[in-house]
């Protein structure tokens, strides 16, 4: 019924044109699958759980310029003012804010030897008072939060004794899962004790390997440049405060400048804008390539049908039904597409190995290959249908027409 | 076996209406070898197309092997064509990309025979036309006469009720034409009915019966021709 062998031998008589369309399908497939793989990875990255109620968070910077500006009291007063503002759940003066691309990082380790052997683990260092966890909205799963007594206000290098780490970091430091109460070496022979572990919390750099590995210390460093993070009751309050918070702070003390008032939603969008653009570009490439290939198939099959009008009429005269003719061209096309997809699968794997090798891309989602094969077969089928239908309508009477 | 009564076939193009067949009536019995002659444009090919169900007609009746053809749909006509009719064309109409074996195989595949049955029939048919040694050759590797013999093998392989040939020797030189004619005569003697359109009066005369078509109708005068020739001899 499905004249596979004769169709194949007929195809082999037109090696070059068959080869070209096979190559086109193969390349399209390889690019489409790799591009989808990249898109998928980007989307997965963008959809990582942040562990924070981003729509309820906004941040700003306070730059003090007053000559006799009392750093500690002003920070305390600002935070107190913000915490009392209606709609605000909590606020904290903090050295870095997640997703913003700014902050402090360094290396820590579970033992002094590891530290000295440069086997330290890169982490993001967060510093804030005992309201830090509550303001970030992250969830404590082991141990305790900081208390007010252990918070140090200082402009010097502080001597802290306790810290809270993310679960991801705790597991890297102590793979047995017993990090709570254990020491963490932070250099200079000093160590701090892990008093609490939070489930999940975003770091400042979305593309960094230390994104999920953060350590929080109970320190308020006394700098003229201070970041403040505010958690509100609702996205509406967040929006309202974005417009009002500057005036609020300046009204209390005008010897500073308030800058960078932004929601975390906006910070997230900025952090991932490159990934978003990349996703859109790759989607466009996919759609364009698939459309070109589909049109290529329509073109080559239409050409073949026109070339073979007499042959089609003859087949009809010899007993082929319309369906037989339709099936002939569809089968021929599925064969070509399948060959293209076989070559394409090899190309895809090769291309991916190259990408992983050259650009350090995370390797591949293998299930995209079968998904891509199904999609390309469907595209091939839909493309061949119109010219194949035209072929099936050729009258058997053309068989006896001269020329 | 084949009975046409008052067949009318009109081709309508934008402005012109061509009456290709008008009140065309004909009966052909099993085992006959009928040669159809007539001037160009008289309707010979149209007659052959309708006989072979390649074309429908406007009015009249056509019974093929007792079956009313006008009642059949496209699929049924295809099937009937495949089972009962073998076609031979002026320009051979072999499929250039397929070797001789696969060319003869084409109608057999549509018939749905098993691979084994097809093989038997293909080998037999190519044997009958004397080309079984060249099964793997492409049509382009053969002479015109050989190609037409392959086409005859293709027509015979399905063991049809009759063969329809539209100027089968039209593209051949006279030697090859005579060989092909000889082959057709052999086939006819072995029992297959043949209806052949030809421009070649000499070949036509070799057929058992001559039909002359003029202006879409069977010409009465020419029907007497063979009788006159017998009288002459
Ligand atoms: N598809 C068609 N559309 C319009 N007119 C057609 C068509 N086929 C045939 N005709 C016309 O019908 C008439 C009969 O044509 P037909 O092909 O049967 O003649 P013929 O006897 O086979 O001629 P020839 O000896 O040249 O092959 C001619 O006038 C021809 O122009
Ligand atoms: Mg003709």
């Amino acid at each position: 019924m499905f004249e596979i062998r004769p169709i194949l031998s007929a195809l082999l008589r037109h090696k070059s044109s068959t080869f070209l369309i096979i190559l086109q399908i193969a390349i399209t497939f390889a690019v489409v699958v790799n591009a989808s793989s990249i898109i998928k990875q980007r989307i997965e990255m963008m959809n990582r759980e942040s562990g924070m109620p981003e729509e309820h968070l906004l941040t700003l910077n306070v730059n003090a310029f007053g000559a006799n500006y009392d750093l500690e009291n002003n920070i305390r007063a600002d935070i107190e003012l913000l915490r009392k503002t209606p709609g605000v759940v909590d606020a904290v003066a903090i050295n870095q804010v997640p997703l913003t691309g700014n902050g402090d990082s360094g290396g820590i380790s579970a033992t002094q030897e590891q530290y000295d052997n440069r086997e330290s683990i890169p982490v993001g260092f967060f510093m804030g008072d005992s309201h830090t966890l509550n303001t970030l909205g992250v969830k404590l799963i082991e141990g305790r939060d900081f208390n007010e007594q252990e918070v140090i206000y200082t402009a010097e290098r502080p001597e802290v004794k306790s810290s809270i780490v993310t679960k991801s970091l705790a597991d890297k430091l102590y793979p047995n899962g017993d990090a709570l109460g254990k020491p963490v070496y932070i250099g200079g022979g000093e160590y701090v004790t892990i008093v609490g572990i939070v489930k999940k919390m975003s770091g400042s750099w979305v593309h960094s390997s230390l994104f999920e590995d953060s350590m929080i210390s109970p320190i308020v460093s006394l700098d003229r440049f201070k970041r403040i993070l505010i958690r509100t009751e609702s996205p509406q309050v967040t929006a309202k405060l974005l417009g009002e918070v500057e005036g609020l702070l300046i009204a209390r003390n005008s010897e500073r400048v308030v800058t960078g008032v932004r929601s975390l939603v906006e910070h997230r969008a900025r952090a991932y804008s490159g990934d978003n653009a990349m996703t859109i570009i790759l989607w466009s490439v996919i759609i364009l390539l698939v459309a070109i290939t589909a049109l290529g198939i329509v073109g080559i099959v239409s050409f073949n049908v026109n070339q073979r009008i007499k042959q089609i009429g003859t087949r009809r005269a010899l007993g082929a039904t319309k369906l037989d003719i339709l099936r002939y061209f569809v089968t021929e096309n599925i064969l070509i597409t399948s060959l293209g997809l076989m070559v394409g699968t090899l190309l895809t794997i090769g291309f991916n190995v190259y990408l992983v090798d050259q650009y350090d891309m995370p390797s591949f989602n293998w299930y995209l290959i079968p998904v891509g094969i199904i999609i390309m077969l469907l595209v091939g089928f839909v493309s061949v249908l119109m010219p194949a239908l035209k072929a099936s309508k050729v009258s058997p009477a053309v068989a006896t027409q001269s020329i | 076996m084949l009975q046409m009564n008052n067949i009318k076939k009109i081709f309508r193009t934008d402005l012109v209406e061509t009456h290709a067949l008008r009140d065309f009536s004909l009966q052909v019995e099993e085992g006959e070898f009928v040669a159809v002659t007539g001037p160009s444009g008289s309707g010979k090919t149209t007659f052959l197309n309708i006989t072979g169900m390649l074309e429908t007609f406007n009015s009249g009746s056509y019974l093929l092997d007792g079956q009313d053809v006008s009642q059949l749909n496209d699929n049924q006509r295809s099937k009937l064509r495949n089972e009962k009719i073998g076609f031979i064309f002026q320009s051979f109409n072999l499929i250039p990309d397929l070797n001789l074996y696969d060319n003869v195989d084409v109608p057999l595949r549509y018939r749905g025979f098993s691979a084994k049955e097809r093989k038997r029939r293909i080998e037999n048919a190519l044997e009958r036309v004397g080309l079984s040694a060249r099964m793997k050759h492409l049509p382009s590797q053969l002479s015109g006469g050989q190609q037409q013999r392959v086409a005859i093998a293709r027509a015979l392989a399905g063991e049809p009720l009759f063969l329809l040939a539209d100027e089968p020797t039209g593209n051949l030189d006279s030697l090859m034409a005579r060989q092909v004619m000889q082959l057709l005569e052999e086939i006819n003697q072995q029992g297959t009915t043949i209806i052949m359109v030809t421009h070649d009066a000499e070949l036509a005369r070799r057929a058992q019966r001559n039909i002359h078509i003029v202006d879409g109708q069977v010409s009465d005068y020419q029907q007497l021709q063979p009788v006159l020739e017998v009288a002459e001899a």
Side-chain angles (χ1 to χ4, degrees):
Chain A
M1 273 276 101
F2 296 91
E3 312 159 65
I4 290 176
R5 198 194 50 75
I7 289 175
L8 263 183
S9 39
L11 276 178
L12 287 175
R13 310 231 177 270
H14 301 277
K15 286 196 189 72
S16 53
S17 64
T18 306
F19 174 76
L20 281 178
I21 187 82
I22 285 175
L23 196 67
Q24 188 185 356
I25 290 168
I27 291 172
T28 302
F29 180 74
V31 174
V32 164
V33 171
N34 275 289
S36 325
S37 174
I38 295 169
I39 289 174
K40 186 173 174 293
Q41 283 154 4
R42 299 281 163 133
I43 288 175
E44 273 168 7
M45 183 179 70
M46 290 189 269
N47 288 342
R48 276 178 305 189
E49 196 193 325
S50 75
M52 307 179 304
E54 286 164 43
E55 294 189 330
H56 296 224
L57 293 173
L58 70 149
T59 178
L60 54 95
N61 310 316
V62 175
N63 265 296
F65 58 76
N68 300 311
Y69 192 86
D70 179 341
L71 282 170
E72 179 166 349
N73 282 327
N74 269 300
I75 289 169
R76 285 179 184 275
D78 283 343
I79 295 302
E80 200 175 329
L81 169 71
L82 290 171
R83 285 176 187 163
K84 278 198 302 214
T85 303
V88 170
V89 174
D90 212 341
V92 67
I94 198 167
N95 69 316
Q96 65 174 317
V97 175
L99 306 176
T100 58
N102 284 308
D104 304 310
S105 67
I108 62 167
S109 54
T111 65
Q112 185 63 41
E113 295 84 70
Q114 282 173 1
Y115 197 92
D116 294 341
N117 293 337
R118 298 176 180 275
E119 287 164 9
S120 59
I121 298 163
V123 296
F125 285 127
F126 284 78
M127 293 177 249
D129 68 12
S130 57
H131 291 248
T132 305
L133 294 196
N134 189 44
T135 308
L136 285 167
V138 296
K139 192 171 171 223
L140 190 71
I141 52 171
E142 272 183 71
R144 62 168 178 85
D145 200 348
F146 299 129
N147 54 50
E148 250 173 79
Q149 289 73 45
E150 64 192 323
V151 178
I152 302 165
Y153 287 77
T154 177
E156 312 294 315
R157 189 186 160 91
E159 281 189 25
V160 281
K161 293 283 164 250
S162 50
S163 77
I164 294 172
V165 297
T166 58
K167 176 86 172 90
S168 162
L169 176 58
D171 289 343
K172 281 181 189 166
L173 288 164
Y174 294 98
N176 294 334
D178 54 356
L180 193 67
K182 292 275 166 58
V184 172
Y185 289 83
I186 56 175
E190 293 174 60
Y191 74 90
V192 298
T193 305
I194 297 173
V195 299
I197 297 174
V198 297
K199 188 178 171 209
K200 199 140 212 144
M201 169 180 162
S202 297
S204 297
W205 303 277
V206 296
H207 297 110
S208 163
S209 64
L210 57 75
F211 182 66
E212 302 207 311
D213 301 332
S214 296
M215 180 169 125
I216 308 164
S217 305
I219 303 163
V220 179
S221 68
L222 300 176
D223 302 317
R224 284 187 167 265
F225 177 83
K226 247 0 258 178
R227 291 196 173 88
I228 289 175
L229 179 68
I230 305 168
R231 177 175 166 196
T232 67
E233 277 169 359
S234 66
Q236 289 74 25
V237 177
T238 309
K240 185 161 163 279
L241 271 188
L242 282 172
E244 294 176 358
V245 70
E246 179 180 358
L248 215 60
L249 290 169
I250 298 301
R252 199 193 60 71
N253 182 338
S254 60
E255 289 191 319
R256 61 265 185 89
V257 184
V258 172
T259 58
V261 182
R262 273 191 204 114
S263 66
L264 272 234
V265 173
E266 189 186 340
H267 275 298
R268 157 182 284 274
R270 286 174 169 229
Y272 290 118
S273 65
D275 303 292
N276 256 322
M278 176 67 109
T279 306
I280 291 166
I281 290 168
L282 289 177
W283 265 120
S284 315
V285 168
I286 288 175
I287 290 167
L288 203 69
L289 271 181
V290 169
I292 289 171
T293 303
L295 287 177
I297 292 172
V298 172
I300 197 150
V301 178
S302 300
F303 177 80
N304 281 340
V305 168
N306 286 331
Q307 290 280 302
R308 297 188 209 156
I309 293 286
K310 186 94 177 189
Q311 180 186 138
I312 295 164
T314 304
R315 285 177 180 274
R316 292 281 279 125
L318 297 178
T321 60
K322 288 181 174 176
L323 187 64
D324 287 326
I325 300 298
L326 183 74
R327 191 154 45 199
Y328 181 95
F329 285 96
V330 171
T331 307
E332 182 180 69
N333 194 256
I334 287 176
L335 282 175
I336 290 177
T337 310
S338 304
L339 285 172
L341 293 175
M342 279 180 218
V343 178
T345 302
L346 296 178
L347 267 184
T348 305
I349 294 167
F351 191 27
N352 188 255
V353 167
Y354 170 80
L355 286 179
V356 170
D357 203 53
Q358 292 286 307
Y359 298 102
D360 206 24
M361 299 245 272
S363 100
F364 206 63
N365 303 290
W366 293 106
Y367 79 84
L368 286 173
I369 288 185
V371 170
I373 286 175
I374 290 167
I375 290 172
M376 289 298 287
L377 282 174
L378 280 176
V379 167
F381 180 74
V382 170
S383 311
V384 77
L385 217 48
M386 204 247 309
L389 275 171
K390 191 189 153 210
S392 75
K393 293 195 180 104
V394 168
S395 161
V398 304
T400 54
Q401 276 164 17
S402 25
I403 289 114
Chain B
M1 186 200 71
L2 181 160
Q3 184 156 14
M4 285 182 178
N5 279 316
N6 302 318
I7 295 281
K8 191 180 281 178
K9 176 66 182 176
I10 303 168
F11 289 107
R12 286 194 179 85
T13 50
D14 288 344
L15 288 172
V16 202
E17 248 190 22
T18 311
H19 292 255
L21 291 181
R22 32 182 118 212
D23 289 331
F24 188 95
S25 299
L26 182 73
Q27 189 161 347
V28 176
E29 301 302 335
E30 206 165 328
E32 281 193 284
F33 192 146
V34 182
V36 180
T37 54
S40 188
S42 57
K44 303 183 296 295
T45 298
T46 305
F47 154 69
L48 214 63
N49 282 351
I50 288 173
T51 309
M53 293 173 291
L54 302 183
E55 206 134 48
T56 54
F57 46 92
N58 298 85
S59 64
S61 78
Y62 171 21
L63 297 182
L64 196 168
D65 206 17
Q67 205 159 3
D68 184 353
V69 166
S70 61
Q71 298 301 311
L72 302 177
N73 66 27
D74 193 82
N75 275 349
Q76 291 166 321
R77 287 200 301 272
S78 300
K79 191 162 181 289
L80 203 59
R81 215 154 45 219
N82 184 252
E83 287 173 4
K84 303 249 157 109
I85 305 173
F87 279 98
I88 301 162
F89 308 96
Q90 179 172 358
S91 42
F92 325 134
N93 292 19
L94 296 176
I95 292 168
D97 297 328
L98 298 180
N99 63 29
L100 305 195
Y101 185 97
D102 288 339
N103 259 291
V104 178
D105 197 15
V106 169
L108 303 181
R109 280 181 180 262
Y110 296 131
R111 189 81 157 262
F113 285 134
S114 69
K116 204 175 133 205
E117 174 68 6
R118 284 177 2 234
K119 184 168 187 293
R120 187 185 69 77
R121 283 171 177 256
I122 296 164
E123 284 168 0
N124 270 348
L126 284 171
E127 180 85 27
R128 261 177 103 175
V129 302
L131 285 167
S132 47
R134 312 190 68 167
M135 280 193 300
K136 298 294 166 197
H137 285 73
L138 287 176
S140 57
Q141 294 168 307
L142 303 184
S143 72
Q146 288 169 326
Q147 289 190 42
Q148 194 58 300
R149 273 150 60 194
V150 177
I152 292 169
R154 180 176 67 183
L156 288 176
E159 291 167 10
L161 201 57
F162 58 95
L163 292 186
L164 293 178
D166 195 359
E167 301 187 32
T169 59
N171 283 8
L172 302 176
D173 64 33
S174 59
L175 177 68
M176 284 189 185
R178 252 176 288 141
Q179 285 174 353
V180 164
M181 186 62 193
Q182 225 159 31
L183 182 58
L184 289 175
E185 282 169 340
E186 271 171 47
I187 289 163
N188 176 246
Q189 271 147 30
Q190 286 156 11
T192 308
T193 313
I194 298 179
I195 300 173
M196 176 182 78
V197 169
T198 183
H199 270 125
D200 187 328
E202 194 194 327
L203 291 185
R205 236 173 283 132
R206 283 165 66 168
Q208 180 189 91
R209 178 177 165 201
N210 270 18
I211 292 171
H212 196 67
I213 299 180
V214 177
D215 208 9
Q217 276 180 316
V218 178
S219 147
D220 293 334
Y221 167 73
Q222 281 292 333
Q223 261 189 315
L224 296 173
Q225 193 77 354
V227 182
L228 294 175
E229 270 172 38
V230 170
E232 271 172 35

